[in-house]
Amino acid sequence: MIIIMAHPDDAEIRCFGTILKYIDFGYRVRLIIVCDGENGISIAEKEEFGITKINNSIRIKETENAFSSTPVEIKVLDGFVDGNLQLNSSLIMTIERELREFEPEILITHYPDGIGVDHQDHFVVGKAAINCASRNELVKKILLAEPLLTLRSSFSSNYYVDITDYLDAKISALSHHKSQSGRFYLENEFHKIRSSYYASMVGYNFVREKHHVESFQMLYQFE
């Protein structure tokens, strides 16, 4: 399994429980992070503290700490700038090379929301990863991870993973992202409520029994 995400913390937010579950299924997992998130600073922080960038190594180290208790292989790509990713031949060729090298059966990447709700880097990385994986016959399943503002996007979930046994580990992983503290999408309650909501879509008894679910839009599957 390969996960291709734009920034540090993207995989932890969207699919950390699913990653752990597939590791338990016996999959080798590699996480590709396209850029190091050096521009992951809010406008309020820029104005209040005069900060324009985060040290390149800080956010990557946070993700490394988040996955430190797992066998996930982490690779950060060179030459791509946070907030300024472009859907071009450089990105396509780089992702193609990663797919050929790792030979994954499953890809998880961003849902490339075309309306403009999600982060622009997520749109670009999702498009590029889908483009490359769709031309790679070894990839048997493509899962698109849920954007943060689902109801404002065209995302439509059709693939659900029970992460009940992994929710605590996911919340622990998110706690490592100190540089992004204050973001709603890193709060424990956000993930508990969201994963319960998707459990309710599976069935009332499922959520009543306090299950938690991560959701995806499955683009392709070949068995």
Side-chain angles (χ1 to χ4, degrees), residues 107-123:
L107 164 69
I108 298 179
T109 191
H110 295 282
Y111 174 77
D113 182 79
I115 297 174
V117 170
D118 207 7
H119 193 293
Q120 67 273 16
D121 287 348
H122 299 171
F123 170 83

Side-chain angles (χ1 to χ4, degrees), residues 22 105-112 130 134 139-147 154-161 214-223:
Y22 272 82
E105 292 182 4
I106 302 171
L107 164 69
I108 298 179
T109 191
H110 295 282
Y111 174 77
I130 291 168
S134 297
V139 178
K140 305 300 183 186
K141 183 185 294 183
I142 300 175
L143 298 177
L144 308 180
E146 178 186 16
S154 53
F155 176 83
S156 179
S157 58
N158 59 9
Y159 190 92
Y160 304 94
V161 180
E214 287 176 340
S215 71
F216 303 86
Q217 184 168 325
M218 185 170 67
L219 180 65
Y220 172 79
Q221 177 171 300
F222 178 73
E223 298 291 347

Side-chain angles (χ1 to χ4, degrees), residues 80-92:
F80 298 101
V81 179
D82 179 19
N84 196 35
L85 297 182
Q86 303 294 320
L87 185 60
N88 56 26
S89 60
S90 176
L91 182 60
I92 294 290

Side-chain angles (χ1 to χ4, degrees), residues 32-186:
I32 303 296
I33 302 172
V34 176
C35 56
D36 55 24
E38 72 275 13
N39 291 319
I41 303 170
S42 68
I43 293 174
E45 287 171 325
K46 289 179 181 179
E47 292 175 349
E48 183 176 355
F49 303 111
I51 300 170
T52 57
K53 288 183 181 293
I54 299 174
N55 183 285
N56 288 28
S57 64
I58 289 176
R59 295 193 64 191
I60 296 301
K61 185 62 177 175
E62 289 173 342
T63 282
E64 289 173 347
N65 290 338
F67 282 97
S68 62
S69 63
T70 79
V72 173
E73 306 166 22
I74 299 173
K75 182 173 183 179
V76 184
L77 302 183
D78 293 324
F80 298 101
V81 179
D82 179 19
N84 196 35
L85 297 182
Q86 303 294 320
L87 185 60
N88 56 26
S89 60
S90 176
L91 182 60
I92 294 290
M93 290 172 63
T94 302
I95 292 176
E96 280 185 335
R97 188 162 50 247
E98 296 299 328
L99 291 176
R100 287 199 305 269
E101 177 188 323
F102 192 65
E103 299 184 341
E105 292 182 4
I106 302 171
L107 164 69
I108 298 179
T109 191
H110 295 282
Y111 174 77
D113 182 79
I115 297 174
V117 170
D118 207 7
H119 193 293
Q120 67 273 16
D121 287 348
H122 299 171
F123 170 83
V124 169
V125 170
K127 282 275 191 179
I130 291 168
N131 180 287
C132 297
S134 297
R135 292 181 281 107
N136 187 313
E137 294 181 356
L138 295 177
V139 178
K140 305 300 183 186
K141 183 185 294 183
I142 300 175
L143 298 177
L144 308 180
E146 178 186 16
L148 292 175
L149 300 174
T150 305
L151 296 181
R152 301 178 195 174
S153 80
S154 53
F155 176 83
S156 179
S157 58
N158 59 9
Y159 190 92
Y160 304 94
V161 180
D162 184 356
I163 64 159
T164 307
D165 293 339
Y166 308 99
L167 180 65
D168 288 345
K170 174 172 182 165
I171 289 173
S172 177
L174 291 167
S175 71
H176 289 283
H177 291 278
K178 305 295 186 187
S179 71
Q180 304 299 292
S181 61
R183 280 24 177 212
F184 74 90
Y185 49 79
L186 291 175

